[in-house]
Amino acid sequence: MPFGYPVFLELAGRTALVIGEEAVRAGKVEGLLEAGCDRILVVATGPAARLDAWEASEARVRVRRRGFEPEDLDGAFLVVASSGDEAERATIAREARRRGVLVNVMDDVPNCDWAAPSVVRRGDLVLAISTGGRSPALAKRLRVELDERFGPEWDEVVAALGAVREDVNGSIPSLRERSRRWTRALDLEEAAALVRDGRRDELERRLRRRLSEEA
């Protein structure tokens, strides 16, 4: 199975590299910013309007308007690249791997260490879909369905659950017992409905009460 081990990466404090105009057009920079990356180097000649906007107002993004040079990889944690030139794609992958940089060359599976999934993001809730590169159309369709299923209220649902967990888990030292009580206490449809109705406090009260019950 290609790209069979799912993982979420911590990008805070790390540097990412985005190479090529198609990678820029595909929203790779925006995706990295949303994921918390705070240092991104973009090596591309266009699209000019997007590069201009980052240079004017996005301190986390540096732009070099030229072609790829191997030294661009120095200090990077991961790289997303696009190129219409087969030799350049192979060079980017080879140089990245030589430096220990995780590489994804778009639409070139042999030159990828990782795959970028379709993503639905609701605050700290991140739903990622991958088909191992076999069907991008299916991944897109599933992303649309999940985007409709999990509306904006889920950002606050996750925040409420995190607040309750922080308050309550210390009083339940057994990991197995915590898991059992959370499984019993959590009703997802109820949680979403209460938040949509502006009753987050009620959700937290119900969870605390249920989690405190041993039976």
Side-chain angles (χ1 to χ4, degrees), residues 109-187:
V109 171
N111 287 318
C112 291
D113 297 328
W114 55 280
S118 294
V119 172
V120 174
R121 190 180 297 276
R122 298 289 184 265
D124 287 332
L125 176 64
V126 181
L127 307 174
I129 308 105
S130 173
T131 60
R134 293 184 180 275
S135 180
L138 174 59
K140 181 178 179 180
R141 177 65 179 270
L142 292 173
R143 183 191 62 77
V144 170
E145 291 189 10
L146 289 173
D147 191 60
E148 294 173 352
R149 167 66 178 83
F150 293 90
E153 68 273 11
W154 282 90
D155 182 3
E156 195 167 350
V157 169
V158 173
L161 298 183
V164 173
R165 179 177 182 272
E166 189 172 314
D167 289 345
V168 172
N169 274 10
S171 63
I172 311 172
S174 166
L175 293 177
R176 180 177 295 181
E177 180 64 12
R178 288 183 200 173
S179 177
R180 187 185 71 80
R181 293 196 197 185
W182 271 103
T183 298
R184 185 189 66 229
L186 185 56
D187 181 325

